[in-house]
């Protein structure tokens, strides 16, 4: 009896332990499976061999894609598959290359060359990287001969692009399990060549961009600036100030004092223009204009016609192109040529309006079109402000948003570099573009230009771009990033906003301001802004824009791409990118129009999301 009982207990224990083992094994298998890939989703991994990017695929799939074996993907069974495609072909690989038939050689045969890309499950976007792209150039701001068009994207129709766009990129949203078509129409004269990397971006890999720590910290203790009269004085360009107030009136009084000293210090016509543009013009009337405009800050502070006393800190800049040597070596020409063309697209509604108000087409007696408002910022008061310089030509403004990325307007770069952008430089931490020793600025070359594929150069919609620098910059006094919005629903209604830039200060000439300026004003409700612009229906703002009141001042050509920030305490958040406004740069009832950053934050997230290499 005792032996039978012991046998029964043994059997039960063995069965129970077997059950526990089975449960543990089951849990282990479940953990392995769920940690590898989420059920119902796809895994997309990328591999890299030197500068060539491949897709991690099974050997059979790589063979079906007619891809080239380039190694293995880590310890998995997948291979690194490089998938080159050309005219009339198709691919479903999440990384592939679209090339002209004779690549790396040129082609001269006229043809329609297309690639069809099957978008995978769990894909949210596509990135096109023009590793080599040289077809017929832009003519008058549009593609008259050769062109490449992208079909099948989400959102509005896209414009064709052409010219030399090597090292340009564009990232855009796609529906999963859809089709994308790249269609190139090339006529063979001149010869053409292109090598476009097509990368499908998994939804799970798109990261929310986070602004750097302490981003957007405004510097209220920045010193005022006095421009030196001689080279020997260059090292003594600033002096400290004990005034820490941020009231617009007091700020303007200080700016007026600085401008007076600047006016007295500058003896060379054209190189020492004050922000208000009075000193540098050839006409002898600038002194009188200076008295009327340069002292407006004092009037504003007292609640006169200059503006209300409720505005905090600020004044406005202006947009255009200007010759500038960022850091001239000894013996080189130093300074800035303030005669330049506007970067406004050649074919656009804004260009038509601008040409209609060209100073040369107006009577000489009409000297009333002056920028009213705006004054000098303090040195590095807004450390995220940057200047875009192309071959010693000041092009536009921009803002530093990370240690290697610049946010600017698409119209500042799109269609403007027919010979490549090797000479495009970003100056960070600058203040007076004509003086090399006023700040410890940094000049960095551009590695990639990311433009919004849906940018419309005629209507100036989706006017946003990001520049990736060749090397990361080190944050320090005078160089730091601005903060981007975190709440996509925040419209910043009823707030004041500040614009900074080096734009034109006089519509009577194409000269831009040598020193950084600022302007603060209330935001305008977008519905009111749209209604105000109904007189120019082609230029109608959209809900993707934000508008600024220009009653007391107005941006002008050259302020394009510059940041519009809303500040709370000492922290400023960029809410807009300068896009377009009145062609005569004065208050005509048309609010200034900016690209709304919150609307394009998902696009910024997608552009700045890195690929996941094995």
């Amino acid at each position: 009896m005792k032996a039978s009982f012991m046998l029964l207990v043994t059997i039960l224990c063995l069965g129970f332990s077997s059950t526990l083992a089975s449960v543990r094994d089951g849990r282990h298998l479940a953990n392995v499976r769920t940690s590898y890939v989420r059920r119902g989703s796809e895994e997309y991994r990328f591999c890299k061999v030197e500068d060539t990017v491949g897709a991690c695929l099974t050997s059979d799939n790589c063979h079906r894609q007619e891809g080239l074996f380039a190694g293995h993907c880590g310890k998995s069974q997948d291979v690194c598959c490089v998938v080159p495609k050309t005219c009339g072909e198709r691919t479903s690989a999440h990384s592939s290359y679209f090339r002209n038939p004779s690549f790396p050689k040129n082609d001269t045969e006229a043809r329609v060359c297309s690639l069809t890309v099957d978008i995978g499950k769990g894909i949210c976007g596509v990135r096109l990287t023009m590793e080599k792209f040289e077809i017929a150039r832009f003519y008058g701001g549009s593609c008259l001969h050769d062109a490449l068009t992208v079909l099948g994207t989400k959102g509005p129709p896209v414009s064709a692009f052409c010219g030399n766009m090597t090292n340009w990129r564009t990232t855009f949203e796609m529906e999963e399990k859809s089709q994308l078509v790249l269609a190139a129409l090339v006529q063979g004269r001149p010869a053409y060549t292109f090598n476009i990397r097509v990368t499908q971006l998994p939804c799970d890999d798109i990261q929310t961009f986070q602004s750097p720590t302490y981003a957007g910290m405004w510097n209220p203790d920045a010193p005022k600036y006095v421009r030196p009269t001689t080279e020997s004085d260059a090292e003594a360009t600033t002096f400290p100030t004990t005034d820490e107030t941020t009231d617009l009136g007091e700020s303007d009084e200080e700016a007026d004092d600085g401008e007076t000293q600047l006016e007295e210090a500058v003896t060379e016509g054209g190189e020492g223009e004050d922000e208000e543009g009075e000193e540098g013009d050839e006409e002898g009337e600038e002194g009188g204009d200076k008295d009327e405009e340069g002292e407006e800050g004092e009037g504003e502070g007292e609640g006169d016609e200059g503006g209300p006393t409720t505005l905090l800190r600020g004044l406005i800049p202006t947009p255009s192109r200007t010759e500038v040597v960022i850091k001239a070596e000894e013996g080189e020409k130093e300074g800035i040529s303030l005669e330049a063309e506007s970067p406004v697209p050649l074919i656009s509604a804004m260009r038509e309006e601008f040409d209609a108000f060209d100073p040369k087409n107006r009577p000489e007696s009409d000297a009333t079109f002056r920028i009213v408002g705006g004054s000098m910022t303090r040195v590095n008061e807004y450390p995220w402000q940057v200047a875009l310089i192309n071959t010693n030509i000041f092009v536009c403004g921009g803002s530093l948003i990370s240690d290697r990325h610049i946010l600017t307007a698409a119209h500042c770069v799109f269609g403007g570099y027919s010979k490549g952008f090797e000479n495009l430089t970003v100056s960070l931490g600058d203040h007076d573009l004509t003086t090399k020793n006023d700040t410890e600025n940094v000049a960095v070359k551009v590695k990639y230009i990311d433009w919004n594929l849906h940018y419309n150069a005629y209507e100036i919609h989706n006017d946003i771009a990001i520049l990736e620098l060749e090397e990361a910059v080190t944050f320090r006094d005078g160089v730091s990033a601005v903060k981007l919005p975190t709440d996509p629903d925040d419209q910043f209604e009823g707030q004041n906003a500040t614009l900074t830039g080096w734009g034109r200060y006089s519509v009577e000439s194409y000269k831009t301001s040598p020193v950084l300026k600022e302007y603060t004003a209330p935001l305008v409700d977008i519905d009111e802004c749209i209604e105000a612009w109904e007189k120019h229906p082609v230029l109608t703002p959209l809900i993707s824009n934000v508008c600024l009141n220009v009653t007391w001042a107005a941006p002008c050509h050259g302020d394009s791409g510059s940041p519009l920030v809303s500040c709370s305490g000492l922290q400023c958040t960029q809410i807009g990118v300068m896009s377009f406004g009145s062609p005569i740069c004065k208050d005509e009832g048309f609010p200034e129009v900016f690209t709304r950053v919150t609307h394009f934050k998902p696009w910024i997230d997608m552009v700045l999301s890195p690929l996941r290499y094995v």
Side-chain angles (χ1 to χ4, degrees):
M1 185 71 181
K2 184 176 181 180
S4 299
F5 178 77
M6 293 297 296
L7 179 62
L8 178 61
V9 170
T10 301
I11 293 173
L12 290 174
C13 289
L14 290 173
F16 184 69
S17 62
S18 176
T19 301
L20 287 177
S22 176
V23 171
R24 284 194 297 268
D25 291 343
R27 287 176 179 171
H28 177 70
L29 288 173
N31 287 337
V32 170
R33 288 171 180 166
T34 55
S35 63
Y36 179 68
V37 63
R38 212 168 47 221
R39 179 172 178 169
S41 67
E42 302 288 339
E43 183 182 41
Y44 299 95
R45 297 182 301 161
F46 301 90
C47 51
K48 195 171 185 179
V49 180
E50 296 181 350
D51 293 330
T52 301
V53 177
C56 291
L57 303 173
T58 64
S59 296
D60 290 342
N61 195 6
C62 184
H63 180 71
R64 287 194 297 271
Q65 299 291 333
E66 299 180 337
L68 305 175
F69 173 79
H72 290 279
C73 289
K75 298 180 180 180
S76 70
Q77 297 299 315
D78 291 343
V79 300
C80 182
C81 186
V82 178
V83 182
K85 295 293 181 180
T86 190
C87 305
E89 297 188 340
R90 189 186 196 112
T91 183
S92 61
H94 52 278
S95 178
S96 59
Y97 287 86
F98 179 37
R99 298 169 171 171
N100 61 293
S102 301
F103 184 82
K105 297 180 180 180
N106 296 337
D107 276 299
T108 56
E109 180 181 345
R111 55 163 57 94
V112 175
C113 184
S114 66
L115 171 68
T116 301
V117 181
D118 295 317
I119 304 302
K121 182 180 179 181
I123 295 295
C124 282
V126 167
R127 179 176 298 156
L128 304 181
T129 304
M130 318 302 159
E131 297 197 349
K132 184 74 172 181
F133 191 88
E134 294 180 2
I135 62 178
R137 66 180 181 87
F138 283 91
Y139 285 91
S142 60
C143 299
L144 298 182
H145 301 295
D146 296 0
L148 189 142
T149 303
V150 181
L151 307 174
T153 69
K154 290 181 66 175
V158 302
S159 301
F161 53 92
C162 57
N164 183 343
M165 298 187 72
T166 299
N167 288 337
W168 287 65
R169 296 185 303 203
T170 185
T171 304
F172 47 89
E173 193 175 1
M174 288 292 300
E175 292 280 1
E176 65 174 355
K177 302 177 70 173
S178 61
Q179 283 187 354
L180 177 73
V181 177
L182 306 183
L185 173 62
V186 285
Q187 302 188 37
R189 292 184 297 177
Y192 56 88
T193 180
F194 54 85
N195 181 31
I196 306 172
R197 189 192 338 149
V198 184
T199 307
Q200 300 190 37
L201 302 178
C203 302
D204 292 343
D205 288 357
I206 296 176
Q207 304 173 8
T208 300
F209 172 74
Q210 301 290 337
S211 297
T213 306
Y214 303 120
M217 297 306 294
W218 166 63
N219 183 11
D221 299 322
K224 292 190 293 184
Y225 175 66
V226 177
R227 194 168 188 269
T229 56
T230 64
E231 180 65 22
S232 61
D233 296 329
E235 295 181 0
T237 58
T238 64
F239 58 89
T241 176
T242 58
D243 189 349
E244 298 180 358
T245 60
T246 59
D247 180 75
L248 179 63
E250 294 182 9
S251 173
D252 286 347
E253 280 187 34
E254 295 165 0
D256 182 55
D257 291 341
E259 289 168 3
T260 302
Q261 295 173 13
L262 176 62
E263 181 180 16
E264 294 172 350
V266 177
T267 58
E268 299 180 20
E271 287 196 0
E273 277 88 10
D274 167 76
E275 285 96 289
E276 304 308 322
E278 278 63 64
E279 296 98 34
D281 288 346
E282 294 85 23
E283 298 83 9
E285 63 205 17
E286 266 52 329
D289 290 342
K290 169 64 181 169
D291 292 337
E292 297 172 8
E293 299 171 9
E295 295 180 1
E296 79 196 26
E298 186 174 353
E300 291 173 12
E302 297 171 357
D304 295 336
E305 293 181 357
T309 58
T310 55
L311 299 184
L312 295 180
R313 187 181 73 255
L315 301 160
I316 207 163
T318 30
S320 164
R321 304 168 70 94
T322 355
E323 291 194 27
V324 58
V325 175
I326 301 174
K327 287 289 181 184
E329 299 296 333
E330 186 173 355
E332 292 182 344
K333 177 184 177 181
E334 180 188 358
I336 185 169
S337 172
L338 301 177
E339 296 288 346
E341 290 294 326
S342 169
V344 174
L346 294 176
I347 300 299
S348 71
M350 175 53 65
R351 176 54 68 121
E352 292 178 0
E353 296 298 324
F354 176 72
D355 290 343
F357 288 99
D358 191 296
K360 292 176 291 188
N361 299 329
R362 294 201 304 272
E364 294 183 3
S365 60
D366 185 4
T368 61
F369 296 102
R370 299 285 185 191
I371 299 302
V372 178
S375 72
M376 285 188 293
T377 67
R378 298 178 177 227
V379 179
N380 295 148
E381 184 177 359
Y382 301 95
W384 49 81
Q385 177 75 45
V386 306
L388 307 188
I389 312 296
N390 183 41
T391 316
N392 295 341
I393 303 295
F394 168 64
V395 181
C396 279
S399 58
L400 183 66
I401 61 173
S402 80
D403 62 351
R404 62 169 65 245
H405 294 100
I406 304 299
L407 186 63
T408 189
H411 82 258
C412 287
V413 290
F414 189 81
Y417 297 93
S418 61
K419 296 182 180 180
F421 59 83
E422 290 80 5
N423 294 321
L424 178 62
T425 304
V426 177
S427 179
L428 306 99
D430 216 334
H431 181 75
D432 184 341
L433 297 180
T434 66
T435 304
K436 70 176 183 178
N437 293 327
D438 62 323
T439 63
E440 296 181 3
N441 69 313
V442 180
V444 185
K445 293 290 187 180
V446 175
K447 183 178 182 180
Y448 289 107
I449 296 179
D450 289 274
W451 89 101
N452 190 295
L453 184 65
H454 296 283
Y455 164 63
N456 185 315
Y458 187 81
E459 299 175 323
I460 318 185
H461 290 161
N462 306 304
D463 190 11
I464 191 169
I466 293 177
L467 312 183
E468 181 180 335
L469 303 178
E470 281 192 349
E471 57 188 62
V473 297
T474 301
F475 294 149
R476 55 172 175 78
D477 290 343
V479 177
S480 64
V482 69
K483 185 178 184 293
L484 295 189
T486 55
D487 183 359
D489 297 324
D490 194 345
Q491 301 297 303
F492 299 92
E493 294 179 351
Q495 298 186 23
N496 293 332
T498 299
L499 174 64
T500 49
W502 285 279
R504 288 171 59 194
Y505 52 77
S506 171
V507 182
E508 297 302 315
S509 70
Y510 282 95
K511 297 178 180 179
T512 61
S513 172
V515 293
L516 187 64
K517 295 179 65 178
E518 61 177 336
Y519 167 67
T520 296
L523 296 178
V524 178
D525 180 80
I526 186 61
D527 292 331
E528 295 179 8
C529 183
I530 293 173
E531 182 179 356
W533 277 93
E534 286 181 348
K535 294 180 181 178
H536 302 279
V538 178
L539 286 172
T540 300
L542 305 174
I543 58 172
S544 57
N545 293 117
V546 60
C547 300
L548 185 71
N549 187 301
V550 293
T551 301
W552 304 280
C556 200
H557 315 100
D559 289 323
S560 295
S562 288
L564 179 72
V565 299
S566 174
C567 302
S568 176
L570 295 181
Q571 187 170 61
C572 299
T573 300
Q574 182 170 355
I575 62 175
V577 177
M578 173 65 199
S579 185
F580 67 89
S582 169
I584 62 173
C585 307
K586 63 172 291 188
D587 180 22
E588 290 190 301
F590 304 124
E592 204 69 21
V593 182
F594 298 77
T595 302
R596 186 183 294 273
V597 175
T598 51
H599 181 87
F600 290 93
K601 184 58 166 56
W603 177 79
I604 295 173
D605 294 341
M606 190 176 295
V607 168
L608 300 185
S609 292
L611 299 183
R612 185 159 54 98
Y613 295 109
V614 296

